[in-house]
Amino acid sequence: MPLRNALAALLLGLLLPALPALAEEPAEGWRERIDWPPVMELDSVLVQTSLYTDHFSPDPEHTNNQRLIGVELHNPELWFAGFARFKNSFNQDSHYLYVGRELTMWASGDTRIRAKLSAGILHGYRGEYRDKIPFNRYEVAPGILPTVGVSWRRLETDLIIFGAAGLMVTAGWRF
């Protein structure tokens, strides 16, 4: 419980001071314009894994070892598409196919604090656990994941909130 409160305080501490910056011009070197449709150009690839998971309402059936491996393809305008394979809270193989957008909240030198929002389809909650996530008809459900993270050069770490269920910390390398 204390770790969860500390992570929530960290998330608020990172987001609240950055809110006024959202109305300002983007940090130099980072392109924040939102053109539609996004440019179909590969700028970088992020490969990531899970480091830590915590459920807000622990259940003896929950596992906190998600063994996530994910790949995101990023374009120069900070749009991305990705795929993640992981063990869900009930140790079932699961997948998340998604698209999303990053927003730089603060940048200085090689360090950047950013928010990300992804939306896609989630597959893998089966059998008796099918109803553990909303709208899981045919074992496929919509998913929306807000994220706040820090990147330093090619190294990235994220705090992901997965619904009302919990949070996950990931780390990755951008190529």
Side-chain angles (χ1 to χ4, degrees):
M1 185 66 125
L3 181 58
R4 184 175 327 130
N5 292 340
L7 289 171
L10 174 65
L11 179 63
L12 284 174
L14 289 172
L15 287 176
L16 291 177
L19 289 178
L22 296 178
E24 297 175 6
E25 287 295 313
E28 187 175 325
W30 297 98
R31 298 173 61 191
E32 293 289 343
R33 69 175 201 263
I34 299 177
D35 290 337
W36 195 258
V39 173
M40 298 298 287
E41 176 184 335
L42 183 62
D43 184 58
S44 62
V45 176
L46 174 65
V47 177
Q48 56 193 349
T49 189
S50 55
L51 300 177
Y52 174 81
T53 302
D54 187 37
H55 288 84
F56 297 142
S57 299
D59 180 318
E61 292 184 298
H62 285 163
T63 179
N64 286 326
N65 184 6
Q66 275 41 69
R67 292 183 259 163
L68 177 137
I69 185 74
V71 176
E72 289 180 357
L73 307 175
H74 290 253
N75 81 356
E77 296 172 345
L78 303 179
W79 290 96
F80 58 88
F83 176 79
R85 183 181 188 282
F86 60 98
K87 294 286 190 176
N88 68 26
S89 300
F90 304 98
N91 207 35
Q92 297 174 313
D93 288 326
S94 300
H95 308 92
Y96 180 47
L97 180 64
Y98 58 95
V99 296
R101 178 80 160 85
E102 304 186 28
L103 175 67
T104 300
M105 298 178 351
W106 177 84
S108 178
D110 293 333
T111 306
R112 183 170 63 109
I113 297 175
R114 54 162 172 58
K116 290 169 51 176
L117 184 65
S118 69
I121 55 173
L122 181 62
H123 173 265
Y125 286 79
R126 298 175 298 281
E128 65 184 289
Y129 305 111
R130 191 177 96 185
D131 295 329
K132 295 292 186 175
I133 58 173
F135 310 111
N136 191 22
R137 186 167 181 119
Y138 308 115
E139 298 174 357
V140 176
I144 298 175
L145 293 176
T147 303
V148 66
V150 177
S151 63
W152 177 73
R153 297 186 181 178
R154 295 184 177 273
L155 180 64
E156 300 197 12
T157 186
D158 288 305
L159 174 62
I160 302 169
I161 307 296
F162 50 96
L167 56 85
M168 178 186 296
V169 177
T170 64
W173 190 262
R174 196 178 285 245
F175 297 91

